[in-house]
Amino acid sequence: MKVEILNPAVEFHDTTVSYDRKPVLWNIDMTLPQGSLIGIIGPNGAGKSTLIKAAMGLLPLASGYVKIFDGDLDEHRKRVSYVPQRESVDWDFPTSAIDIVLMGRYAHIGLLGRISKKDRSLAMDCLEQVGMQAFAKRQISQLSGGQQQRVFLARALAQQADLYFMDEPFAGVDASTESAILNILRNLTQEGKTVIVVHHDLQSAAEFFDWIVLLNMRLIASAPIENVFTQNLLQETYGGKLTLLSEISELIKKRNIPSRENY
Amino acid sequence: MESIWKFISLSDPNIISVVIGSVLITASSAVVGTFSFLKKKALVGDAVAHAVLPGICLAFILSGNKNPIYIIIGAFITGWLSLIIIDIITKKSKLKEDTAIALVLSVSFAIGILMLTAIQHSGNASQSGLQSFLFGKAAALIGRDLIMFSVVAVILLLMVVLFFKELKLIAFDESFANTIGLPVKALNLLLTSLIVMAVVTGIQAVGVVLMAAILITPAAAARFWTDDLVKMIILAAIIGAFSGWAGSLVSYVAPRMPTGPWIVMVVSIIALISFFIAPKKGIISKQLELAKLRASILEENLLKELYRMGEKDMNTSNAYTLDLLTMQRHFPIKYLKPALRRLLKKSLVFKEGNKWSLSEQGHQKGKRIVKLHRLWELYLSTYLKIAPDHVHEDAETIEHIITPELESRLEKLLDFPKKDPHDRKIPY
Ligand SMILES: Nc1ncnc2c1ncn2[C@@H]1O[C@H](COP(=O)(O)OP(=O)(O)O)[C@@H](O)[C@H]1O
Ligand SMILES: [Mg+2]
């Protein structure tokens, strides 16, 4: 099932990506529409992260090309934002939430440029949009997983891009963060921006996205949501969610609970 | 004793140059070292430090003297070469980076030692003192070196200040730096060049063998005290400077003593002390926190058991003896009595004779723990499909850490259930 469109935000043309010569993505060929909320769905190891890393020029392509706004990525760097998987960085880094958001301004500030008052107030606005203004000065390791994810999102907002690639922004976040993030993404697409989100939960995917890319080492589908699958099918396949559980595990880790209780 | 005082009061220009030289070197090394520490590239500095030895020897052999300019050029070349070789080995072979580093470090150091031995046996009179590059000799710093060290220190600090935000970003999130179009390769090159520069100048005072310690240890110590990168860098510089000063003091007072080991001793002691006493991150404060947590878990367990006994006897204000309490659940006596005394002080329990009972407040608290325990058991068995006889252990821990926010979500999610999986009533 594949739907092609004109004037896409992103075009993958016969793209193959390999690690150590071993291809993990085969001949991806698709066009993704502007102004949509697009979900990239697939099981673990399907190559979802690899796909968006390749689109962001973080991995060499074994073959094919990727076009961003019908041009080269380098022409449009400032219009494109990338939110890596939360686990890809060490959150024990000595810095505060607001400083992370300010990193979203670096491309605009330029090498050797200084951070201005305007950048600071913009970063603060972005934190406010994700409901984290109260945590601006907080050291990032003291934030919960959901809050860290929000900080990453605020950093992306600070980039003021037109196209966003996000790797699992909903992973390990609580229900209220989930709906907060979703709202922000919807607002972005309403402003005509394109948001491409890696997501692994099929059930919620049906509620979240306008356009779905199904991926498993190769492209299985890329089409508007209604063409790809029906609500019924999904409910059958997937059970309830376990966000509470992941939050508890995080609490256990944070508070350093002694493992065996003998007192 | 007298010489110590003479040193501290900086009474002679020689001392001043030794002190300034060592302090400049160690402080600026600590500053650039902070970034390799944060990038988790501590070993790279070590490899470079060992690899400069053949360069130093080669420079001496070719020039026939110990002119610092030649020495530094030689050191720079082989230091750099080692980085390139590490890079090639990692990229072209199946060896991992740490193996490549270990390989380059040991091979180049071995070559350096061979060359050094050859020079020492060559009978060249000016070779004496070359040995001090191994373990450092701060007292050998003279005015001529000082100018060069100052230049290097200024370059290092200037680069860090100029490129601070970029260096910070590539240390935290290199992929993101790449995606916004920062010249990440060039910045990494800059950082390694700074490290090579720090090493090459630092070996005079610290020596090639221990140079890595002065790059990394101040940052590691500073990390315990602050969560702010700027403060961390400043603190690392101060720690580095202090150990540099202490090292040069030793070198002045006992000229036959190598400086490097002393500098490293001082900085390591600072790191060790930080490791123990730093607030929040230090071991002692972590242990205290753990003890506090343990005490509060014990208190909650006591309230819970008193509640459950009352529940069984259908009278929540019943009083019980310690024997009955320990029969209900094994409490180590050593901790039991102090815990009860604490509860008494907080008026959560009453004591009549040798019997203990819950106050109204204690009753509420005990009830909450019991509720959380049973809710969690229910959550595990309904949402994770864990058998009811396997959920108790887990709930024993979780009941103490659920926050009020999670508590209300749990209640809503399960829709205020009446019974837990063992068919016991859930109290609200
Ligand atoms: N750096 C890497 N080197 C080698 N193989 C990798 C690397 N990263 C990912 N892979 C492999 O590529 C495949 C796709 O990975 P990834 O894109 O992370 O999947 P997803 O994000 O869909 O879970 C997996 O089989 C994974 O093992
Ligand atoms: Mg992934």
Side-chain angles (χ1 to χ4, degrees), chain B residues 273-309:
Chain B
I273 292 173
S274 309
F275 178 70
F276 280 104
I277 67 164
K280 281 195 273 188
K281 290 198 179 57
I283 291 277
I284 292 177
S285 117
K286 279 208 169 129
Q287 282 302 321
L288 282 180
E289 208 172 289
L290 195 66
K292 241 199 254 162
L293 183 66
R294 225 179 247 151
S296 101
I297 290 180
L298 177 56
E299 288 167 27
E300 290 186 351
N301 278 341
L302 280 168
L303 296 176
K304 179 176 79 173
E305 296 310 335
L306 282 171
Y307 177 90
R308 285 180 50 204
M309 286 154 83

Side-chain angles (χ1 to χ4, degrees), chain B residues 47-88:
Chain B
V48 173
H50 282 79
V52 300
L53 189 59
I56 292 171
C57 295
L58 203 62
F60 179 81
I61 291 171
L62 293 179
S63 72
N65 62 47
K66 288 202 313 270
N67 185 331
I69 299 284
Y70 296 138
I71 298 272
I72 284 187
I73 292 174
F76 216 95
I77 292 173
T78 49
W80 250 117
L81 210 58
S82 71
L83 286 175
I84 295 170
I85 296 172
I86 289 171
D87 207 43
I88 292 176

Side-chain angles (χ1 to χ4, degrees), chain A residues 44 48-50 85 167-168 198:
Chain A
N44 253 340
K48 306 180 294 293
S49 301
T50 304
Q85 244 163 307
D167 204 341
E168 309 242 11
V198 170

Side-chain angles (χ1 to χ4, degrees), chain B residues 1-45:
Chain B
M1 207 52 227
E2 197 184 313
S3 58
I4 294 180
W5 177 244
K6 226 171 121 191
F7 182 87
I8 291 176
S9 59
L10 300 175
S11 59
D12 130 18
N14 260 337
I15 299 178
I16 297 182
S17 60
V18 167
V19 168
I20 295 182
S22 327
V23 163
L24 276 178
I25 292 162
T26 45
S28 52
S29 301
V31 169
V32 292
T34 303
F35 288 98
S36 27
F37 171 78
L38 288 172
K39 284 179 73 103
K40 305 187 169 62
K41 294 264 191 225
L43 277 177
V44 173

Side-chain angles (χ1 to χ4, degrees), chain A residues 90 92 110 155 255 260, chain B residues 40 165 173 223 293 393:
Chain A
D90 179 6
D92 201 24
R155 178 175 76 175
R255 300 224 8 219
R260 274 262 163 254
Chain B
K40 305 187 169 62
K165 70 181 199 305
D173 190 350
R223 184 68 188 90
L293 183 66
E393 280 286 305

Side-chain angles (χ1 to χ4, degrees), chain B residues 195-217:
Chain B
I195 289 169
V196 175
M197 267 168 84
V199 167
V200 167
T201 45
I203 48 173
Q204 183 89 251
V206 188
V208 297
V209 178
L210 296 170
M211 188 57 211
I214 203 67
L215 280 170
I216 301 303
T217 324

Side-chain angles (χ1 to χ4, degrees), chain A residues 96-147:
Chain A
S96 61
I98 186 82
D99 279 358
I100 300 296
V101 180
L102 279 168
M103 290 173 179
R105 300 302 302 157
Y106 285 10
H108 300 257
I109 298 167
L111 271 181
L112 299 179
R114 302 277 101 185
I115 294 166
S116 70
K117 271 226 171 72
K118 244 176 84 191
D119 294 316
R120 282 189 190 282
S121 76
L122 194 138
M124 207 57 202
D125 283 349
C126 296
L127 267 182
E128 196 170 339
Q129 280 183 59
V130 299
M132 289 285 295
Q133 68 276 33
F135 298 88
K137 291 256 152 59
R138 195 67 71 86
Q139 206 271 324
I140 53 174
S141 71
Q142 290 166 14
L143 303 172
S144 74
Q147 290 170 331

